[in-house]
Amino acid sequence: MSNSTNEKVRCLIIGSGPAGYTAAIYASRANLSPVLYEGIQPGGQLTTTTEVENFPGYPEGITGPELMEDLKQQALRFGADIRFGIATETDLSAAPYKVTIDGEKVIETETLIIATGATAKYLGIPDEQKYAGMGVSACATCDGFFYRKKVVAVVGGGDTACEEAVYLAGLAKQVYLIVRKSYLRASKVMQERVFNTPNIMVLFEHNTIGLFGENGVEGAHLVKRMGESDEEKVDIAIDGFFLAIGHKPNSDIFKPWIETDEVGYIKTIPGTPRTKVAGVFAAGDVADPHYRQAITAAGTGCQAAIEAERYLSEIGK
């Protein structure tokens, strides 16, 4: 199998969010000479967030792109080899593991850190892009603070949507929960919380078809009972529009070799970033359906690099 033209490395990191860059910082300092490929969205999901106020060490807050650039520079300072490129195929059947970059170049690596993140699901209406960072958000815990005493809408009917609605209700004046179906998919406990929160109004059987506003979101165009004989158009005035229809972990190319849950999150040995393949680790949002924060991703990136270093010293590579 092995091709002499393949590049051989000790540690390969795929992904460039807080997890990937932190792994690169630690792996570089441990003399693993890591190679990191930045992937489809260099800097990850945080590059779509304007203001990050909850990352420890930045008391005044920092923009998502600046935070990622800081982490990248720190990794570069310790000698990480950071490159543009997208992992398109993997063979994790035996070590050294093979990862194909951009469909052509093959890297053979003793250890692999998967930090490919997740992608928020969007409704697919053009206005979501138009108002990105101007009232449209896919993370209530990131951006809710900016909507204190304002009016916001959350789209979705599952646990995440209910959780975000309750969280936002503690900050905003009024929260609309826009639900496509006539019921909530969320667990009973979460449903009760929503119904017992006075400033949450659930709009069942409503579809969002557009957003409007001059310098940001000022309202949403909805359709009630879409496709039915009594369908009607409804406009609501809002300052913020939160998507809570789920995230898709970027794990497809690894699925033949490692375990994922039904959504696609990579399963790791509890409390560690280890996958069931020795020497292959998963860090950040690709393996985290629960927290999805920059700081937790960075923490698992650190763990993955330490694990990789220990693994390499154990196998004597």
Side-chain angles (χ1 to χ4, degrees), residues 262-306:
E262 63 284 357
V263 182
Y265 288 99
I266 293 175
K267 286 186 175 180
T268 54
I269 295 161
T272 79
R274 295 198 290 267
T275 67
K276 67 170 193 178
V277 181
V280 176
F281 310 96
D285 286 13
V286 74
D288 175 15
H290 302 295
Y291 304 108
R292 296 198 291 262
Q293 297 298 304
I295 190 70
T296 48
T300 55
C302 157
Q303 291 174 331
I306 291 174

Side-chain angles (χ1 to χ4, degrees), residues 127-299:
D127 290 343
E128 289 171 318
Q129 297 309 314
K130 181 180 167 186
Y131 294 105
M134 294 166 59
V136 171
S137 169
C139 180
T141 43
C142 313
D143 301 326
F145 187 75
F146 304 112
Y147 296 94
R148 279 180 305 177
K149 310 262 185 292
K150 293 185 175 178
V151 180
V152 297
V154 177
V155 182
D159 274 340
T160 306
C162 289
E163 226 165 273
E164 308 236 311
V166 170
Y167 174 81
L168 289 164
L171 298 162
K173 183 170 66 181
Q174 167 77 51
V175 178
Y176 294 105
L177 184 56
I178 303 169
V179 186
R180 229 180 26 205
K181 300 193 163 81
S182 57
Y183 59 89
L184 289 170
R185 281 185 300 113
S187 60
K188 278 281 172 280
V189 179
M190 283 315 298
Q191 292 192 37
E192 277 165 25
R193 268 188 219 162
V194 163
F195 295 133
N196 291 332
T197 306
N199 59 336
I200 296 178
M201 186 176 177
V202 185
L203 302 175
F204 286 115
E205 296 187 271
H206 281 70
N207 278 19
T208 309
I209 54 166
L211 301 167
F212 59 90
E214 285 303 301
N215 304 311
V217 173
E218 289 171 20
H221 298 299
L222 311 178
V223 175
K224 186 180 182 181
R225 292 182 53 79
M226 200 178 211
E228 304 296 322
S229 56
D230 57 350
E231 119 173 358
E232 60 173 306
K233 288 200 158 75
V234 182
D235 280 1
I236 54 170
I238 52 171
D239 305 295
F241 184 79
F242 287 85
L243 291 137
I245 52 177
H247 285 75
K248 185 188 184 311
N250 303 319
S251 60
D252 290 354
I253 62 168
F254 310 106
K255 280 182 180 168
W257 320 103
I258 52 185
E259 286 179 77
T260 60
D261 70 8
E262 63 284 357
V263 182
Y265 288 99
I266 293 175
K267 286 186 175 180
T268 54
I269 295 161
T272 79
R274 295 198 290 267
T275 67
K276 67 170 193 178
V277 181
V280 176
F281 310 96
D285 286 13
V286 74
D288 175 15
H290 302 295
Y291 304 108
R292 296 198 291 262
Q293 297 298 304
I295 190 70
T296 48

